[in-house]
Amino acid sequence: MYANAVFGIWPFIFEDYPTLKKIYDVYCKITLTYYFLFIVSGWIKFFQLFQEIPIPATEIMGNISITFIYSVTIWRARAIRGPRMMNIIKNVIDWEKKIMDSEDQPLIDIFNNYAWQNRIISQVFIITVIIVTNLFFVHPLGLDPRARYDPVTNETVYIRPLPLSSWFPFDDQKHYLRAYMFHILDAYVGASFVNNTDLFSFGIITFPLGQTVILNYILSHFEDYVVKIQEQLGVDRDEASFITLRECILKHKDIISYIHAFNKEMNIVILLDFLQSSLQLAAIVLQLIFVRKN
């Protein structure tokens, strides 16, 4: 949540402070705009690469791998801040509060166990993203300059590689260090967006699993909960059984509604995720083929 808030993704922050909320909304627009402009520069560079002689197939594959995943990520970030997703997040917060306020230790333990698993997976994912991102900075240092024909001067020039593939409004070879530093910033911003939106989506997807386990636990210990309802409400056994069963049915309906709302909001994003994953695999294979040929 805190990492999402830093990059302007988390929609619920400063709810009780209107002035700070407005400032944060402006900050969100600035971060998303910067990220969007970098994506645009990546696509500009992508089309520029096709005009080079010879066409740098390896760099094109590298460009499309990063640019497409960043494009999908900004779509996901936009969806997270959408009204439907905000309702889903509110439901998650409400369900968590109800479980913690219930003082039902077995249910709290189930919830905490899934939260702990989610936290461990998130930490492993974050470490992986940090390692991969830093490798992007080191990787160009071990590469040889790439030959490119310049039709204007009728000469072959050698292009020093950069961590990412994007267009600059200045000559990135004459101002190589500046371009390199911009790419370090862009990579950290992009990786943070990818990391935070992926972890957020993972948490939202896995949340109903924990709720299903909780529901299964209640049904498995149905008699115990009937007794609790009898003691709390002072009703007879039949009415307590009816109330307990009704609550289980309502809980099940809530889980189904949650999944339906998530699918309705994120189905396009999930489809794009599948496409970009397939494209990345294809790009990696093609890069390996071209590297072997060269």
Side-chain angles (χ1 to χ4, degrees):
M1 182 185 75
Y2 299 109
N4 286 332
V6 169
F7 288 92
I9 301 173
W10 185 252
F12 299 106
I13 190 169
F14 302 129
E15 292 293 314
D16 299 327
Y17 304 94
T19 303
L20 292 177
K21 178 67 174 176
K22 290 180 180 178
I23 295 174
Y24 181 73
D25 288 340
V26 173
Y27 170 75
C28 293
K29 292 178 181 178
I30 292 173
T31 55
L32 285 173
T33 300
Y34 181 86
Y35 187 50
F36 175 75
L37 290 176
F38 172 70
I39 294 171
V40 171
S41 70
W43 284 112
I44 292 174
K45 184 67 174 180
F46 173 74
F47 290 108
Q48 285 182 340
L49 290 173
F50 284 95
Q51 300 174 3
E52 295 187 10
I53 302 175
I55 295 177
T58 302
E59 188 171 345
I60 289 174
M61 293 301 104
N63 176 289
I64 195 66
S65 297
I66 300 299
T67 305
F68 199 75
I69 191 174
Y70 282 3
S71 301
V72 174
T73 299
I74 199 170
W75 192 302
R76 188 189 294 116
R78 175 181 170 275
I80 290 173
R81 293 187 58 83
R84 291 178 183 172
M85 188 56 66
M86 291 177 70
N87 289 332
I88 292 175
I89 298 171
K90 286 180 180 178
N91 288 335
V92 171
I93 295 173
D94 291 341
W95 288 3
E96 179 182 3
K97 188 175 185 302
K98 287 179 181 178
I99 292 172
M100 293 304 174
D101 292 344
S102 68
E103 298 182 357
D104 192 329
Q105 196 57 45
L107 301 188
I108 294 175
D109 290 341
I110 293 172
F111 184 88
N112 287 336
N113 180 55
Y114 270 85
W116 177 81
Q117 292 179 21
N118 196 355
R119 194 177 304 114
I120 294 298
I121 293 172
S122 298
Q123 290 173 353
V124 172
F125 185 75
I126 290 171
I127 292 172
T128 304
V129 170
I130 291 174
I131 293 173
V132 172
T133 303
N134 283 282
L135 287 176
F136 268 94
F137 306 148
V138 180
H139 178 65
L141 302 178
L143 298 178
D144 296 327
R146 174 174 57 85
R148 185 184 71 184
Y149 173 71
D150 189 347
V152 177
T153 60
N154 195 28
E155 295 178 348
T156 298
V157 295
Y158 290 90
I159 307 299
R160 288 180 291 177
L162 287 164
L164 301 175
S165 178
S166 65
W167 170 82
F168 286 104
F170 54 84
D171 190 328
D172 56 15
Q173 295 300 302
K174 290 182 179 179
H175 306 280
Y176 184 77
L177 181 59
R178 185 195 304 178
Y180 205 101
M181 297 305 295
F182 264 113
H183 270 183
I184 291 177
L185 174 62
D186 295 337
Y188 273 126
V189 172
S192 298
F193 268 96
V194 172
N195 177 76
N196 295 331
T197 55
D198 277 354
L199 290 179
F200 176 87
S201 299
F202 178 77
I204 291 294
I205 291 172
T206 57
F207 179 78
L209 295 177
Q211 298 302 306
T212 304
V213 173
I214 288 175
L215 178 59
N216 181 66
Y217 178 86
I218 294 173
L219 291 172
S220 300
H221 299 79
F222 189 81
E223 294 298 327
D224 295 337
Y225 282 92
V226 169
V227 173
K228 287 183 180 180
I229 293 296
Q230 281 185 282
E231 295 174 352
Q232 291 175 1
L233 302 181
V235 296
D236 59 34
R237 180 178 178 78
D238 289 341
E239 187 171 355
S241 298
F242 172 78
I243 293 173
T244 305
L245 181 60
R246 183 188 63 189
E247 291 301 315
C248 290
I249 294 173
L250 291 175
K251 181 71 172 178
H252 186 254
K253 289 180 66 177
D254 287 341
I255 295 173
I256 293 175
S257 298
Y258 175 96
I259 296 173
H260 177 73
F262 177 83
N263 289 337
K264 191 173 183 180
E265 181 63 24
M266 301 293 285
N267 56 354
I268 296 178
V269 176
I270 292 173
L271 175 61
L272 291 174
D273 261 334
F274 172 76
L275 292 176
Q276 68 89 8
S277 298
S278 302
L279 185 61
Q280 276 192 319
L281 290 174
I284 291 171
V285 172
L286 289 174
Q287 281 181 302
L288 291 174
I289 292 173
F290 281 109
V291 167
R292 286 184 178 180
K293 284 185 177 181
N294 295 332

